[in-house]
Amino acid sequence: MTEGLAAWITLIFLATCWVYWREARFQEARSAVASPAQTAAIQSAYIAIGGTVASFVYRLSFILFGIPYITEYGRAANASQFGLAIVFVILISGGLLLIERATRGISLHLVDRKLKLNNTSLYLFAVDTAKVMLVAAAFGLPLVAGWTWLMETGNEHWWLGAWALWFAILTIRMLVKPQIETILFSTTSDLPEGALRSRLEYLLKRSGIDAASLRVIEASKRTRRVNASVTGLGAHRRIFLHDTLLEQLSADEVEAVVAHEAGHVHFKHLGKAWGGLGLLGLAGAYVVAEITRHANLEPAEAVGVLLAAYPSILLSVRPLLVRISRGFEFQADGFAAMQCGAGAVQEALGKIFAANHGVWDHHWAYSAVFDAHPSGRERILRLQQHTR
C-alpha cells in the first residue's frame, strides 16, 4: 500500500505544480510589460510551487519512512495507539501547518509588501501563527483521539461514529468561526450612525437578515486589502466589512458589496456548504475504513497515513468544491444586482480589484482548482446580462 499511496501523492503533487506553473506562464504572456498585479500573481504562483514542494517532500518522507519507523518503535516500546496518534498529529499536521504558514509569510512579505498591501509585522505574524496552531489543536486533537478510540473498539461500523464526531466538530467550528476570528485575530465594532448605516440596515431588513449581524472588522492592522465576508451558521452568522472597504468605496459600492454577502445568506450558501461537506465526509470516512481494513493498519498508523495523505485528498476534490463555490458567487452577484443594480455591483468589483491589485483572468486550470471566486471578467460579463 505504501508504494501505491506514494505514487498517487506524487501524481497529485506534479499536477499541482503544473497548474501553478501554467498560471505563472499565463500571466507572463498577458502583456509585454507586466503590471504590478500580474507580477504579484506570477511571484505568488512560484512561491506556491515552493510551498507545494516542501509539503510534498515532508509528507512523502512520513509515508515512506516516518510512519513505519514510529509505528515499529511504538510496538517495541509498547506505546498506546492514542499516544502514537498524538505524535503523528504533532509531527505531521503541525509540520504541514508550519510549512503553510511559512509559505503564507513569504508571500505577504515578498509580494504584498511591495504592493503596500501588507501591514503585518513579523512579530504579529508569528503571534497569529501560534494562535492558528492553537485553534487547529483545539479542534484536531479531540477528533484524532475519538477516531483512535473508535477504531480500537474493533466495531466494523466504527467509521459511522468517526464521521459523526467529525461532523459535530465541523459544525461547532462553523458556528464559532466568527467569534474565533474576532476574539483572536481582530476587533469589531458597529457601523457608525449615519446615512450609510441606515441604507445597509434597510437593505438587510428587506433581505430578511438581522441588521445586528453586520459588523466592521479592524482589518487595517494586518492588511490594506479591501474585503467583506459572511461566516457562521444561524444566530451565529456575521457579515464582516473590512474597515479598508469603508475607506475606499463609495456608499453605493459598499451597499452593493453588502447585498452580495446578503445574497449568500438569502440562498443559504453556508448551510448548503455545511450539508455538502457532511455528505462528502461520510463518503470519506467509509473509504478510510475500507482502506484501513484491507491494508490491516493499526489505528495510530491509519491516522498517520490519513494526515499525510489529506492535502492530496483535498486537492482531488477541490475542482468540485470550486465549481460549487463559483456558482454560489454568481448567485450572490445576481442577488446584489437585483437589490442595487448591476452597475453598482460592477463598480464595486472594479474598485476592489484595483485596490487589491487583482488580475482579471486566470489560466483555466488554475481557475478550476484554486479560484473559488470566478474571475473578475467572468463576473462582469455575467452582471452585464442583468442590464440587458
Side-chain angles (χ1 to χ4, degrees):
M1 188 202 76
T2 300
E3 292 77 10
L5 181 61
W8 175 71
I9 289 176
T10 301
L11 180 63
I12 298 297
F13 158 72
L14 293 173
T16 304
C17 289
W18 179 84
V19 169
Y20 281 127
W21 178 74
R22 289 304 306 164
E23 170 65 5
R25 295 300 302 273
F26 177 83
Q27 297 301 335
E28 288 172 353
R30 294 296 291 168
S31 61
V33 179
S35 67
Q38 288 171 317
T39 299
I42 294 166
Q43 292 174 338
S44 295
Y46 286 125
I47 290 171
I49 290 175
T52 302
V53 171
S55 173
F56 166 72
V57 171
Y58 192 77
R59 292 186 295 122
L60 193 64
S61 66
F62 271 96
I63 291 291
L64 296 177
F65 310 109
I67 295 173
Y69 175 80
I70 293 173
T71 301
E72 188 61 35
Y73 181 82
R75 290 196 193 102
N78 200 28
S80 69
Q81 291 296 302
F82 173 77
L84 288 176
I86 297 301
V87 169
F88 285 136
V89 171
I90 294 172
L91 293 180
I92 300 176
S93 294
L96 290 175
L97 185 54
L98 284 175
I99 291 172
E100 179 186 325
R101 292 295 296 177
T103 305
R104 173 65 176 159
I106 292 170
S107 182
L108 282 175
H109 288 86
L110 292 186
V111 180
D112 282 18
R113 183 76 74 181
K114 290 182 181 179
L115 297 174
K116 299 181 179 179
L117 292 174
N118 177 35
N119 291 339
T120 307
S121 65
L122 288 175
Y123 171 77
L124 182 57
F125 184 80
V127 171
D128 284 348
T129 297
K131 293 177 181 178
V132 167
M133 297 193 73
L134 285 174
V135 171
F139 288 104
L141 291 177
L143 177 62
V144 168
W147 273 55
T148 304
W149 177 79
L150 287 165
M151 282 188 280
E152 283 191 291
T153 63
N155 189 311
E156 62 177 329
H157 299 299
W158 67 267
W159 60 274
L160 286 173
W163 169 80
L165 175 61
W166 171 83
F167 192 53
I169 290 176
L170 171 70
T171 303
I172 294 171
R173 186 159 190 170
M174 291 186 72
L175 284 171
V176 303
K177 191 173 189 292
Q179 287 74 22
I180 291 175
E181 289 183 351
T182 55
I183 292 173
L184 293 182
F185 299 102
S186 296
T187 57
T188 63
S189 60
D190 292 324
L191 191 66
E193 294 284 352
L196 177 60
R197 176 169 174 171
S198 298
R199 287 179 65 173
L200 298 183
E201 286 179 343
Y202 178 64
L203 167 66
L204 294 175
K205 182 178 180 180
R206 69 176 186 261
S207 301
I209 302 171
D210 183 5
S213 65
L214 182 65
R215 304 288 292 171
V216 177
I217 192 166
E218 185 190 14
S220 55
K221 184 178 179 181
R222 290 172 170 80
T223 181
R224 294 302 304 168
R225 289 186 178 275
V226 173
N227 198 13
S229 62
V230 57
T231 61
L233 295 171
H236 294 265
R237 183 176 53 235
R238 296 290 184 273
I239 295 176
F240 290 125
L241 299 180
H242 283 201
D243 55 354
T244 51
L245 181 139
L246 296 175
E247 292 172 4
Q248 300 189 48
L249 269 62
S250 69
D252 289 344
E253 292 159 352
V254 171
E255 185 180 27
V257 170
V258 174
H260 173 91
E261 303 304 332
H264 286 305
V265 178
H266 174 79
F267 289 110
K268 298 179 173 59
H269 289 159
L270 291 177
K272 291 175 182 177
W274 169 71
L277 287 174
L279 293 175
L280 195 61
L282 181 62
Y286 174 75
V287 171
V288 169
E290 286 298 297
I291 292 174
T292 301
R293 182 171 64 85
H294 286 292
N296 197 28
L297 298 176
E298 295 179 359
E301 189 178 10
V303 167
V305 170
L306 178 60
L307 293 174
Y310 178 74
S312 297
I313 296 171
L314 183 60
L315 281 167
S316 298
V317 300
R318 268 195 72 94
L320 172 63
L321 302 179
V322 164
R323 185 178 180 84
I324 294 171
S325 176
R326 288 161 65 87
F328 286 171
E329 293 302 321
F330 281 132
Q331 278 190 315
D333 280 348
F335 182 85
M338 288 189 293
Q339 298 296 321
C340 306
V345 183
Q346 292 179 57
E347 290 292 331
L349 281 172
K351 192 77 72 71
I352 291 172
F353 268 83
N356 294 341
H357 293 280
V359 294
W360 285 91
D361 292 296
H362 295 282
H363 187 268
W364 66 266
Y366 181 88
S367 292
V369 180
F370 295 110
D371 202 2
H373 287 63
S375 70
R377 195 173 306 281
E378 290 176 298
R379 295 176 73 174
I380 293 296
L381 290 174
R382 185 68 67 92
L383 284 165
Q384 288 174 346
Q385 297 176 4
H386 288 272
T387 63
R388 296 172 183 171

